Each structure stands twice: as C-alpha cells, then as structure tokens.
Amino acid sequence: MQMTFEASSSVTLLFDFWNVHGPAGMVLSVFIVLLLTVVFEILKVWRVWLSSGSRLAHPPSAYAAAPSGRTESSSALDASPSESSLTPTETQPPRNSWLLHVIQTCLHVLQVTLGYMLMLCVMSYNVWIFLGVILGSALGYYVAFPLLGQMSLYGRVRH
C-alpha cells in the first residue's frame, strides 16, 4: 500500500467497488468527496443550531412577560415590574426533550461516520482526493457558518 502522497488517477476509495481508473473517474470521485465534505460541515452547523438555537432546545418560558401598554404619560409606578409579570402561565412540560436527544444522537452518529469515511479517503494518499476534502471543507464552512448566525436569529427572535 502506498504510504506517501501521489497524484495518480488510479485509486480505490473506501470499498472495492469504488475503484477509480482514469481522469474522468478521478474527477467524479473528487466531486463526490467534495460534496460529502460539504454535507459534513453543514451537519456540524445543524447540530450546533439544534443544541442552542432551536425551539426544541429552548421550551417556552414558564413566566409570561408583562404586556407593555404604556403611553408617554405613564407614571414611574407603571414602568416598574409588577406581580403579574412573575405569575406562571399554564405551559406543558417540555415533551420534546427526548425527541431533541434522539435527533442529536442520530446526527452525531451520522457526523462521526461521515468524518471517519472522509478520513479514510484522505488516507488513500491521493493528492486529488485530499484536495477534494480540503476544498469541500472550506466550501462547506463558507456556506454553513453564515447559516448558523441566521438560524440562531430565527430560533431566538419570534415575531
């Protein structure tokens, strides 16, 4: 087995049936590995979003916010917190916590499996496959990281 990087167009990736011979097969294989790496990066961001910003992770508060019906002529007493703002509202206990945990577990297993598969692709010591993983990681991070900011804003700010 080759233990140094080489730039050939012949390689076997992950399984016996993924046996690449020729430039066209190498281009297709690099594209597939690149897409798998982009999915891997998006999956990482999705898991972070689910654990921090989703409605499943943060059940509604048990305390209602005081309605703000003040006008410019309101007194200082009207602006102070009242007992009504600390009154518990009728909410159900978070039933979705087990669902979130199951989803997180499945996504974790998928992420670890995909990560190891990409590592094994790199361990083929083919320069083109290696570059596909690196470019896919950069592209995936470039695409997914801004989505994390948008998703966390959507998950926290509800209109």
Side-chain angles (χ1 to χ4, degrees), residues 87-122:
T87 305
T89 60
E90 291 184 26
T91 60
Q92 299 176 353
R95 294 180 295 172
N96 294 332
S97 63
W98 67 271
L99 178 62
L100 177 65
H101 187 64
V102 167
I103 292 170
Q104 284 279 23
T105 300
C106 292
L107 290 177
H108 174 73
V109 168
L110 183 62
Q111 180 184 345
V112 168
T113 303
L114 192 54
Y116 278 125
M117 290 176 71
L118 292 169
M119 178 194 66
L120 289 172
C121 287
V122 169

Side-chain angles (χ1 to χ4, degrees), residues 70-76 78:
R70 294 186 290 156
T71 61
E72 290 182 26
S73 63
S74 295
S75 68
D78 291 340

Side-chain angles (χ1 to χ4, degrees), residues 10-87:
S10 296
V11 69
T12 301
L13 292 173
L14 301 176
F15 307 102
D16 287 336
F17 62 84
W18 196 350
N19 201 354
V20 179
H21 297 292
M26 183 56 73
V27 169
L28 180 62
S29 294
V30 168
F31 183 71
I32 290 170
V33 167
L34 186 136
L35 287 179
L36 287 174
T37 309
V38 169
V39 168
F40 177 75
E41 292 293 332
I42 291 172
L43 190 60
K44 288 193 312 186
V45 167
W46 190 20
R47 282 192 58 220
V48 169
W49 174 73
L50 275 177
S51 66
S52 65
S54 80
R55 288 179 285 149
L56 290 175
H58 300 293
S61 175
Y63 296 97
S68 177
R70 294 186 290 156
T71 61
E72 290 182 26
S73 63
S74 295
S75 68
L77 292 175
D78 291 340
S80 66
S82 66
E83 289 181 24
S84 66
S85 67
L86 299 176
T87 305

Side-chain angles (χ1 to χ4, degrees), residues 120-141:
L120 289 172
C121 287
V122 169
M123 289 178 62
S124 70
Y125 293 104
N126 187 287
V127 171
W128 308 119
I129 298 297
F130 176 74
L131 289 176
V133 171
I134 297 300
L135 290 175
S137 180
L139 181 64
Y141 183 83

